[in-house]
Amino acid sequence: MEFALEFDRIEKRYRDFRLQPTSFAVPRGYVMGLIGPNGAGKTTLIKLALNLIRRDGGVVRLFEKDNLQHERETRARIGFVPDEPRFHEDIALQRLKQATARFYPTWNDVRFHELAEKFELPLGRKFKKLSHGMKSKFALAMALAHEPELLILDEPTAGLDPAFRRELLGLLSGSLQDASVSILFSTHITSDLERVADYITYVQEGRVVFSKSKDDVLDTYVVVKGGRELLDGQSRDLFEGVRLNRYGFEALTAQPDEVRRRFGDAVTTERASLDDVMVLMQGRLDHAA
């Protein structure tokens, strides 16, 4: 399998946070969803991929090339949409487009204007006059117009209305009709990933908990609900994470058959969503305690 992006034991250390040696990869032609709580290391990983910060260990490969040694070549093949798009505030969108296009040999002006029309972008308006949603639409049009081979999205749907979020997901799905396009999609809106993602990587406290196909994640995990009296040292070993509530507990397990054998009708089980996985995985600390 060929990869658009590979993290190979990548590390980054800050005063109050450490991204531990981390490895996972985004296969070419697929969508990798990147999930985890705030402060888990998702944006750090994206900044490392884009060389916005320097790594303290390991290697990042873009299109099978070291992203430091081949920075200019690989960067031109990436489209990036951040959670807070930043362009020169006092320049009109049309001029921003003209200035940016010169840096991309694959820039497709027809594609840009198609997207601008689709998103109803006011090209004569200054960037600072745009709403947050319009800024995100402009950033997406700019990212897609140079026909990137890898699209990196850092919370691109945050703050967008549901109608445009659905339109955006349809647009991303359409981009993937070309099998050479790959997407790394970091978001808290897991329902978006359930629509478009092929793989899911879950990051918590600076390390990867798992990186596997979305179908494997949804087929593996089950939510278990029961009374607190059922929790003891042995039963907790069945759970990936536990959250207590006023009615009892809610837990995540990858061993549903053993849970049913041990507890029978004393618990209820249901298939986990990505949101269940992300929320309940955050109970791993409670579990460890």
Side-chain angles (χ1 to χ4, degrees):
M1 182 178 289
E2 295 184 351
F3 299 105
L5 171 61
E6 298 174 79
F7 295 100
D8 186 357
R9 296 190 62 78
I10 196 73
E11 293 183 69
K12 181 64 184 178
R13 291 182 291 275
Y14 294 102
R15 181 179 302 174
D16 56 354
F17 174 78
R18 180 191 176 197
L19 181 69
Q20 301 179 51
T22 297
S23 300
F24 70 93
V26 180
R28 287 209 186 203
Y30 294 92
V31 179
M32 172 68 78
L34 184 61
I35 64 174
N38 289 333
K42 303 186 300 297
T43 297
T44 296
L45 285 165
I46 288 173
K47 288 181 176 179
L48 287 165
L50 296 169
N51 277 341
L52 298 177
I53 55 175
R54 294 300 179 183
R55 63 207 188 200
D56 293 319
V59 178
V60 177
R61 298 185 188 90
L62 290 165
F63 317 109
E64 303 180 358
K65 297 180 179 180
D66 187 299
N67 74 333
L68 289 181
Q69 298 176 15
H70 302 271
E71 182 169 13
R72 175 176 289 186
E73 173 194 347
T74 56
R75 185 65 182 85
R77 299 163 68 182
I78 299 173
F80 175 50
V81 181
D83 58 341
E84 292 287 343
R86 292 179 177 86
F87 292 90
H88 197 293
E89 293 284 319
D90 288 308
I91 297 180
L93 305 190
Q94 180 68 27
R95 288 185 58 200
L96 287 172
K97 183 271 295 186
Q98 292 169 346
T100 303
R102 295 178 296 173
F103 293 97
Y104 294 98
T106 57
W107 183 270
N108 186 331
D109 215 49
V110 172
R111 175 65 167 156
F112 173 80
H113 283 282
E114 288 175 349
L115 292 167
E117 182 177 355
K118 184 179 185 68
F119 297 161
E120 300 180 340
L121 294 174
L123 298 182
R125 189 178 300 175
K126 291 182 179 180
F127 184 76
K128 68 180 180 181
K129 297 294 187 180
L130 301 182
S131 66
H132 174 72
M134 277 295 179
K135 288 179 178 179
S136 296
K137 291 178 182 182
F138 178 65
L140 182 62
M142 295 284 276
L144 291 173
H146 67 89
E147 300 180 338
E149 296 174 52
L150 172 64
L151 187 60
I152 297 179
L153 307 172
D154 189 6
E155 298 287 351
T157 56
L160 297 180
D161 63 85
F164 181 69
R165 279 179 40 223
R166 185 177 291 268
E167 183 180 356
L168 169 61
L169 297 177
L171 186 65
L172 296 179
S173 297
S175 297
L176 290 170
Q177 290 177 4
D178 179 355
S180 65
V181 179
S182 313
I183 299 175
L184 178 64
F185 191 164
S186 173
T187 182
H188 284 93
I189 306 175
T190 54
S191 59
D192 288 349
L193 294 180
E194 292 197 10
R195 289 180 179 274
V196 300
D198 302 294
Y199 296 89
I200 300 293
T201 295
Y202 180 85
V203 183
Q204 183 171 307
E205 296 187 324
R207 68 184 186 88
V208 171
V209 177
F210 64 76
S211 185
K212 59 179 70 176
S213 77
K214 179 187 68 180
D215 289 342
D216 282 348
V217 174
L218 296 178
D219 289 343
T220 296
Y221 293 109
V222 168
V223 176
V224 182
K225 298 178 182 179
R228 294 192 186 197
E229 71 279 0
L230 300 175
L231 290 176
D232 56 31
Q234 288 186 327
S235 65
R236 280 178 179 257
D237 290 341
L238 294 172
F239 303 132
E240 302 288 330
V242 176
R243 290 174 70 90
L244 302 178
N245 56 53
R246 60 185 297 184
Y247 303 107
F249 75 89
E250 194 173 33
L252 191 72
T253 186
Q255 305 177 64
D257 292 339
E258 178 60 20
V259 166
R260 295 184 189 104
R261 186 194 68 79
R262 188 176 301 185
F263 297 113
D265 294 337
V267 298
T268 61
T269 60
E270 60 188 47
R271 192 169 188 259
S273 65
L274 286 181
D275 193 56
D276 292 327
V277 172
M278 188 168 76
V279 170
L280 291 172
M281 277 285 185
Q282 293 178 50
R284 291 168 69 88
L285 290 179
D286 297 335
H287 178 199

